[in-house]
Amino acid sequence: MKRSKEPSKILTHEKWIAFSAIEQQQDNLNILGEDIWRAHDRSGHEKNSHDILVAFLKKRDFKVKPHYKGFPHAFRASFGETASGGAEHPNVGFLCQYDIDPERGHCHGHNLATAVAVTAALGLQPVIKFAQEPIGMVTIIGCQGNATGTGKIEMMEAGCFKGIDFLLTAYPAHFTNIKPRFIGCRTHKITFRGRTRKEGDRPWEVANPVNATVLAYQNIAAIRQQFNCEWVAKGVILNGGTRADVMPETASMEYLLKAPKPLEMKVLGDMVHQCFNGAATATGCRFDVESTGHEFLCNMVPEALVDLYNKNASLMGFTFHNRQEDLQSHDDIANVSTSVPTLKVFYYAGTGSKLGTDEFSRYAGSKESQFMTILQGKALAMMAVDLITSEERMRDVFEQHQEELSKYYGPLSQTPQTTHHAQEEKQEKDETRREPRGSVAAGVDQDAGQVATAEEPTSDKQAKRDSQGTARESNPLNAPKEGEKEAASANGGANGSGGIEENQTGSDKSGQNN
């Protein structure tokens, strides 16, 4: 039987340097992972882990900026500014996170993800140090968590990822997913405002915001049949008054929306907005919509990064056990991926214990977890070597990232459209149903409580149809093909602004003035 080839025979010179450096540091890296696991720092209180990592990297000649950008437990560590092979770009970043779940500890293995990032950086460091010409820089970003899971979003907004060209990270799990899709998520607060009369008994002039809130909830329940199977709309009534015999001036509710693509999120948001608008119109109320918290975007994953990981993980002996491609929960790293080409993979950590459980937390602190951790660090280091030593690979990643960004977020105003002819037929049906021939449009005068009538001229109807242009289909499954989209755009397709409209007032287009 032939002996397997030595690593030096199957690795390039640069990769052999990275591989050897990691092998030499392996014991220290395993201890680092154990120390982070024992630190047991909660989100927003990662002082111990922060100090451990800062001290570890300073000893290894990294230029470390603790408490980075005003975040008390974040840091940025870089190597390459003074090295012979150092250059400002390309700058490869490795992401580490070291907070725990308050109930189950390191049930998501963040201590292992941190060890992976540091392992990869230590592998790339000597490649840059001993390069004959400037080839790049390596950076480690230590991320501070928070209770809402938006730590990376806040750090991105503060400029913590500025200057980084690629961002790589690997998280342990009970499965393998090398191209995870993170679902988009956003939350809105809807406030309905009613109308009361302190004097007299004229109930037709009263608008009860509680009725509008309940009706909006029922509208969304009824429209769920039209939802894509991956869409989520969950709501809760926040305020419906404090006394049974007193009608409140306002009532509010909160809705959480999730969709796997930006365009689908817009469609879902528009559908839900119409439910709010219908409830406000039917009850005579007004309503406002405001975003609460940060929106989690859908992630961009250049295929070139996925291919590089697949190639180098296989080279290091990773077997991709229990491979899955399920849609993942929202993740703040998805927002970062819209500005920096990013790859976050989930790797099989060597246990059948499910991610997020007490059993996985115990496994993350065991010596059995260390083998896969070092292996993943090597895979990311080899990826980084491939990137910084090939302008063609870097160009492919950048181009694919821009294509993904343009595809999903650039033409966000371009929504699924119908043909101009179909729009005219739909508009005609709507006008006929709302205002039968010979009838009048009714409106309510708030001050006098009188019913006013005014027939809308046919020319005004036609002008309204022309100005509205092409309507958007509410169900993305019925979206037309590319040729039909172009035809619709040529005939005056309307551009949307993106999902639920904020600071809107509910008023019926038939003429009610609430």
Side-chain angles (χ1 to χ4, degrees):
M1 179 183 294
K2 287 186 177 182
R3 295 179 60 187
S4 61
K5 293 183 179 180
E6 294 293 329
S8 59
K9 303 297 183 181
I10 60 177
L11 299 177
T12 64
H13 176 66
E14 292 82 3
K15 288 185 177 181
W16 172 244
I17 292 176
F19 184 91
S20 300
I22 294 173
E23 288 286 302
Q24 293 172 9
Q25 295 277 358
Q26 184 167 328
D27 291 340
N28 293 330
L29 290 165
N30 289 334
I31 293 173
L32 176 67
E34 293 175 354
D35 289 344
I36 299 298
W37 187 86
R38 293 192 193 96
H40 213 70
D41 291 330
R42 293 180 293 111
S43 294
H45 301 82
E46 304 97 328
K47 181 182 184 304
N48 295 328
S49 298
H50 170 274
D51 294 346
I52 290 170
L53 288 163
V54 167
F56 183 91
L57 293 170
K58 280 184 176 180
K59 288 181 180 178
R60 286 155 181 82
D61 298 329
F62 277 79
K63 182 180 178 181
V64 184
K65 297 179 180 179
H67 320 299
Y68 190 54
K69 295 286 186 180
F71 294 93
H73 307 124
F75 69 86
R76 178 166 176 153
S78 301
F79 179 86
E81 290 185 3
T82 59
S84 61
E88 187 176 358
H89 295 285
N91 189 348
V92 180
F94 298 102
L95 187 72
C96 57
Q97 185 176 353
Y98 29 85
D99 59 333
I100 64 166
D101 181 272
E103 297 180 358
R104 295 187 173 89
H106 276 291
C107 62
H108 293 97
H110 288 175
N111 64 309
L112 302 182
T114 296
V116 169
V118 176
T119 299
L122 291 181
L124 188 58
Q125 181 186 26
V127 176
I128 296 172
K129 182 177 182 179
F130 298 115
Q132 299 299 316
E133 58 184 18
I135 59 173
M137 182 182 295
V138 56
T139 298
I140 304 174
I141 298 291
C143 293
Q144 174 179 308
N146 62 19
T148 59
T150 58
K152 299 181 191 68
I153 300 176
E154 294 176 358
M155 290 182 65
M156 181 186 70
E157 293 175 347
C160 294
F161 298 97
K162 185 177 180 180
I164 293 179
D165 298 302
F166 311 97
L167 193 62
L168 309 176
T169 185
Y171 279 60
H174 61 281
F175 58 87
T176 299
N177 190 343
I178 66 173
K179 190 180 178 181
R181 292 187 304 143
F182 299 111
I183 195 167
C185 176
R186 63 187 184 190
T187 307
H188 295 274
K189 180 182 179 182
I190 305 90
T191 303
F192 290 94
R193 307 183 187 280
R195 187 174 61 247
T196 61
R197 284 190 70 88
K198 296 182 180 179
E199 300 178 359
D201 186 16
R202 307 174 72 167
W204 56 87
E205 296 181 9
V206 174
N208 190 337
V210 179
N211 290 343
T213 302
V214 174
L215 185 56
Y217 191 92
Q218 293 174 333
N219 287 346
I220 295 176
I223 207 173
R224 289 183 191 278
Q225 184 178 354
Q226 311 304 321
F227 283 6
N228 183 300
C229 62
E230 294 179 328
W231 294 0
V232 175
K234 296 181 178 180
V236 61
I237 297 176
L238 301 175
N239 173 32
T242 57
R243 290 180 54 182
D245 59 341
V246 177
M247 186 185 76
E249 294 183 359
T250 63
S252 60
M253 61 196 312
E254 186 175 76
Y255 258 89
L256 179 145
L257 305 180
K258 292 184 179 183
K261 295 180 181 178
L263 181 58
E264 293 185 22
M265 176 64 83
K266 173 175 170 52
V267 174
L268 174 60
D270 285 343
M271 293 172 69
V272 173
H273 184 271
Q274 292 303 317
C275 292
F276 301 145
N277 187 65
T281 300
T283 58
C285 295
R286 296 176 294 112
F287 75 102
D288 301 316
V289 178
E290 61 177 322
S291 296
T292 57
H294 290 279
E295 177 179 0
F296 293 87
L297 302 179
C298 304
N299 61 316
M300 307 288 99
V301 185
E303 194 65 36
L305 286 181
V306 178
D307 292 341
L308 282 175
Y309 174 80
N310 194 22
K311 167 190 170 184
N312 286 286
S314 299
L315 185 64
M316 293 295 103
F318 187 55
T319 58
F320 304 92
H321 182 68
N322 196 16
R323 195 159 183 166
Q324 297 181 9
E325 297 181 358
D326 297 340
L327 188 65
Q328 302 295 323
S329 180
H330 57 275
D331 194 313
D332 51 356
I333 200 172
N335 294 50
V336 180
S337 75
T338 62
S339 60
V340 181
T342 301
L343 180 67
K344 175 181 178 177
V345 302
F346 291 98
Y347 67 91
Y348 176 71
T351 177
S353 300
K354 289 189 176 181
L355 193 66
T357 62
D358 292 326
E359 291 78 10
F360 195 92
S361 178
R362 287 192 290 271
Y363 180 79
S366 68
K367 293 188 179 298
E368 288 76 11
S369 66
Q370 295 172 354
F371 173 78
M372 283 294 185
T373 300
I374 299 299
L375 186 152
Q376 290 298 315
K378 291 176 180 177
L380 294 189
M382 302 303 145
M383 274 188 70
V385 171
D386 280 341
L387 283 171
I388 66 175
T389 57
S390 172
E391 292 185 2
E392 182 179 356
R393 293 191 189 99
M394 288 189 287
R395 184 170 56 251
D396 289 343
V397 172
F398 288 137
E399 289 178 353
Q400 291 176 14
H401 181 258
Q402 289 302 315
E403 289 174 2
E404 289 273 305
L405 199 60
S406 176
K407 177 181 177 182
Y408 289 111
Y409 287 103
L412 230 128
S413 57
Q414 301 297 324
T415 56
Q417 298 172 338
T418 57
T419 63
H420 185 64
H421 178 67
Q423 156 61 12
E424 286 188 333
E425 291 182 348
K426 180 179 182 299
Q427 184 68 26
E428 191 64 38
K429 291 179 181 178
D430 292 343
E431 293 286 350
T432 303
R433 182 169 58 251
R434 188 164 61 242
E435 299 176 316
R437 191 178 300 276
S439 68
V440 293
V444 179
D445 187 339
Q446 292 186 24
D447 297 328
Q450 301 295 324
V451 176
T453 61
E455 184 173 3
E456 185 179 13
T458 305
S459 60
D460 291 345
K461 295 184 200 174
Q462 183 62 40
K464 183 188 295 184
R465 286 199 298 269
D466 293 340
S467 65
Q468 287 175 339
T470 305
R472 176 183 36 80
E473 287 288 339
S474 61
N475 191 337
L477 300 180
N478 297 328
K481 297 180 179 178
E482 292 298 328
E484 295 174 333
K485 285 186 181 180
E486 295 175 1
S489 299
N491 285 284
N495 292 337
S497 59
I500 293 183
E501 301 174 12
E502 297 191 16
N503 300 323
Q504 296 291 324
T505 57
S507 57
D508 189 11
K509 294 181 181 179
S510 63
Q512 286 187 348
N513 181 17
N514 297 322

